[in-house]
Amino acid sequence: MAIISCPSCGQKVSDKAPGCPKCGAAIAGLDKEKLAVMERDRRLNLSQSLMTQSMIAMVLFLAGFFFYWQLPPYGWKYYAAIAAIGVGFIWYLVNRVRIMMLKRKSKHGF
């Protein structure tokens, strides 16, 4: 009996279990190749989601800079622009770290 990752949600589950207790995906009857393909698809979807979030964070960061330079240095819009710069920058960095961790994890086969 081996512990495998659920191909749908990534939860650790026994290979003898009929389904994942977390998401309910059927595991019994799937061969190793099908499990590997499903795991690869899950990682690809996660990677694409992280790249999309990175792009949204970059747009937020750049929009914050645009409004920062266009507005006078007082008022709520000016402070909202500064907040957008900070949130966009932090969000972008967090997503890039998550992408690097995902790539490192898939490179080592974990």
Side-chain angles (χ1 to χ4, degrees), residues 90-101:
I90 298 296
W91 189 15
Y92 180 79
L93 288 179
V94 167
N95 278 315
R96 295 311 294 181
V97 168
R98 289 178 65 198
I99 289 170
M100 287 187 337
M101 288 173 48

Side-chain angles (χ1 to χ4, degrees), residues 67-84:
F67 287 112
Y68 176 78
W69 290 112
Q70 298 297 322
L71 296 172
Y74 53 84
W76 70 271
K77 292 179 184 178
Y78 179 77
Y79 295 115
I82 293 172

